[in-house]
Amino acid sequence: MPDSRAIVILTGAGISAESGLETFRSADGLWAQHRIEDVCTPEALARDPALVHRFYDLRRAALNNVAPNPAHEALARLEREHRGSVLIVTQNVDDLHERAGSRNILHMHGALNSALCAACGDRGPWQGSLPPGSVCSICEAPSLRPDIVFFGEIPYEMERIEEALAGADLFVSIGTSGAVYPAAGFVRMAGALGVETLELNLEPSSGSGWFDECRHGPASRLVPVWVDELLAAS
Ligand code: APR
């Protein structure tokens, strides 16, 4: 019987760590170097737009120096070869899933290579530096900001994510600490709906106890092994 299960995959910073991008909560991670209150809240943007824009300019520039790793590539292969649907819900703002070839992706926390107009709400592709006062091509207001969902703001695509979880047969969480909601609650939503749940993470996360199965180790090893197993059983 071919495996046509609907799979929803949540990814976090850990899937991009072996590509060379910093995670948030490791000892030397982004939140050890910068205060969230200084670079990832609406108040920070209002108080010091230059600091906030520069923080994301540096992270956007870092994308030019990294490449997808075997974990991203394995998920792209899964989407190509699995008979059922594969949806990636990523908390990450990098473009490594896209560059690995995945297409069915929801960026719930926004994206570095996108700009958001604070005046008209338009979101559009952006490369390079995004200085404060950059002009929106739609409404011409000098209101472009990094298209990043700050703490205290509503993540993108929540309706589509909840629908996907309700219709899933398998929920897999890869490379996330389970520290931030609503993403950290997806495993419980899935479990309550009878969806099978699997965690692939370097170490036990805050939510490990809610998963049917946990495998711990580097994503670049765990994810290709899991994808090979799943496709071999198809
Ligand atoms: N392979 C697999 N997992 C890894 C690897 C690796 N090579 N390296 C680190 N990890 C795991 C860590 O063990 C940790 O559980 O990835 C997780 C990273 O956790 P965080 O740094 O908290 O990142 P994340 O879970 O994505 O944060 C969620 O918080 O600050 C907000 O918006 C930000 O999207 C982010 C959200």
Side-chain angles (χ1 to χ4, degrees):
M1 178 69 172
D3 180 352
S4 56
R5 286 179 294 172
I7 305 173
V8 173
I9 300 166
L10 173 68
T11 63
I15 198 170
S16 299
E18 290 162 273
S19 293
L21 289 180
E22 292 171 301
T23 63
F24 292 94
R25 292 172 182 81
S26 59
D28 59 348
L30 284 167
W31 297 150
Q33 303 166 46
H34 309 273
R35 293 174 63 245
I36 289 173
E37 299 75 14
D38 292 342
V39 294
C40 196
T41 65
E43 296 76 15
L45 181 64
R47 183 174 59 246
D48 192 344
L51 174 69
V52 173
H53 280 247
R54 195 163 51 248
F55 177 68
Y56 292 99
D57 281 356
L58 290 172
R59 291 182 63 199
R60 190 177 306 108
L63 294 181
N64 301 324
N65 309 320
V66 297
N69 67 57
H72 299 104
E73 288 158 358
L75 294 187
R77 175 173 169 236
L78 180 69
E79 181 182 316
R80 285 194 304 274
E81 299 180 15
H82 180 56
R83 293 170 193 266
S85 62
V86 176
L87 172 66
I88 293 176
V89 176
T90 188
Q91 300 172 91
N92 299 341
V93 293
D94 64 58
D95 59 350
L96 293 175
H97 284 304
E98 288 85 348
R99 287 165 54 189
S102 291
R103 291 286 168 270
N104 199 13
I105 306 168
L106 296 177
H107 279 270
M108 65 181 291
H109 289 168
L112 287 168
N113 53 15
S114 173
L116 167 66
C117 177
C120 74
D122 180 66
R123 297 172 64 197
W126 190 274
Q127 301 296 327
S129 171
L130 174 64
S134 295
V135 173
C136 173
S137 60
I138 304 297
C139 73
E140 297 182 355
S143 306
L144 291 183
R145 56 164 271 192
D147 186 12
I148 300 295
V149 178
F150 292 147
F151 284 90
E153 294 183 326
I154 312 288
Y156 290 127
E157 304 282 9
M158 283 308 296
E159 265 187 52
R160 284 180 63 186
I161 294 168
E162 285 161 9
E163 274 169 31
L165 286 172
D169 300 298
L170 173 60
F171 172 71
V172 187
S173 177
I174 303 174
T176 182
S177 59
V180 173
Y181 286 81
F186 291 167
V187 58
R188 267 172 267 176
M189 282 171 66
L193 294 164
V195 178
E196 184 185 346
T197 55
L198 167 66
E199 178 179 72
L200 305 177
N201 203 57
L202 188 64
E203 65 217 347
S205 72
S206 307
S208 289
W210 295 98
F211 287 89
D212 296 321
E213 180 188 358
C214 296
R215 298 181 189 181
H216 296 136
S220 66
R221 177 167 59 76
L222 289 186
V223 180
V225 164
W226 168 67
V227 168
D228 288 346
E229 277 174 15
L230 191 137
L231 291 176
S234 287

